[in-house]
Amino acid sequence: MAGASNCVLAVDIGTQSTRAALVDPAGTILDVAGSPIDLFAPHPGWAEQDPEQWWDTTVANIAAVMARNPEARVAAAGVSAQMHSLVAVDAAGRSLTPRSAIWSDKRCLDQVAGFAGRADAGPLSRLAGNQPLPAWAGFKMAWLRDHDPDAYRAADRLLVAKDFINLRLCGVAATDPAEASGTFLSDTATGQWSPALLDAVGVD
């Protein structure tokens, strides 16, 4: 394959499928592989996926494009994903729940209502730069605390989909400002985790 050296390996975790692509320095997609993933709705308003399926299909997608392009050399990798999902992992990076609530999951409406009923909900929402909504990962953390306390207590990290895949790829648990803003736990002015928001949402 011409131009296959020094490629970027691009990985994406969507709501219906996962993908991996080889992209040359000019931004041309040289090859792509994809896999469907399952979406579960065991109760009204719930939307779940298996984070291990995100990982297994990502590995399969990467293997497929690399097998078809054995001369390709990967200079960098980049991961994008559906935002606001929640994956509780142990110290070894293993998921502690069989499925994760994704961005469209509404199970944490009670946690959102509890926050919205606070006298200081307005100033805190301005601090977060968002209105309180069930999409945000911080409220999903609060739901996990209330409804699956064993997993919450056992969690070494609470990650979203992109950060979970990055942890598996490189062994580092980290996030970025865009993902942090989607937790409702980050101070929009400073870009740092907010003690006031953590306390108000009630997560560690």
Side-chain angles (χ1 to χ4, degrees), residues 110-135:
D110 288 345
Q111 287 71 28
V112 173
F115 175 91
R118 294 173 58 101
D120 57 355
L124 287 170
S125 296
R126 288 190 289 276
L127 184 66
N130 284 306
Q131 292 298 309
L133 297 170

Side-chain angles (χ1 to χ4, degrees), residues 16-33:
Q16 297 180 320
S17 64
T18 63
R19 291 162 291 278
L22 287 172
V23 184
D24 73 11
T28 302
I29 297 174
L30 304 174
D31 198 1
V32 63

Side-chain angles (χ1 to χ4, degrees), residues 7-183:
C7 295
V8 171
L9 174 64
V11 172
D12 182 58
I13 310 299
T15 305
Q16 297 180 320
S17 64
T18 63
R19 291 162 291 278
L22 287 172
V23 184
D24 73 11
T28 302
I29 297 174
L30 304 174
D31 198 1
V32 63
S35 301
I37 50 176
D38 298 318
L39 177 65
F40 302 92
H43 304 286
W46 288 34
E48 301 179 331
Q49 289 185 320
D50 178 0
E52 296 298 338
Q53 190 181 38
W54 297 338
W55 174 246
D56 290 343
T57 55
T58 294
V59 171
N61 295 338
I62 293 171
V65 294
M66 297 307 296
R68 291 197 294 262
N69 303 280
E71 69 277 31
R73 296 296 178 265
V74 174
V79 179
S80 66
Q82 51 169 287
M83 295 179 72
H84 318 316
S85 51
L86 182 68
V87 189
V89 299
D90 64 15
R94 294 181 295 252
S95 175
L96 292 168
T97 60
R99 297 175 188 165
S100 293
I102 66 168
W103 60 274
S104 56
D105 190 280
K106 304 292 191 297
R107 73 185 68 186
C108 59
L109 281 169
D110 288 345
Q111 287 71 28
V112 173
F115 175 91
R118 294 173 58 101
D120 57 355
L124 287 170
S125 296
R126 288 190 289 276
L127 184 66
N130 284 306
Q131 292 298 309
L133 297 170
W136 310 136
F139 294 113
K140 292 178 171 66
M141 296 176 195
W143 186 94
L144 189 72
R145 175 203 65 211
D146 293 341
H147 294 273
D148 195 347
D150 290 341
Y152 182 82
R153 284 192 297 267
D156 183 69
R157 306 279 180 172
L158 297 169
L159 304 174
V160 293
K162 174 180 64 62
D163 302 334
F164 171 73
I165 296 299
N166 278 331
L167 174 64
R168 288 288 180 87
L169 285 172
C170 65
V172 176
T175 194
D176 61 78
E179 291 284 8
S181 73
T183 64

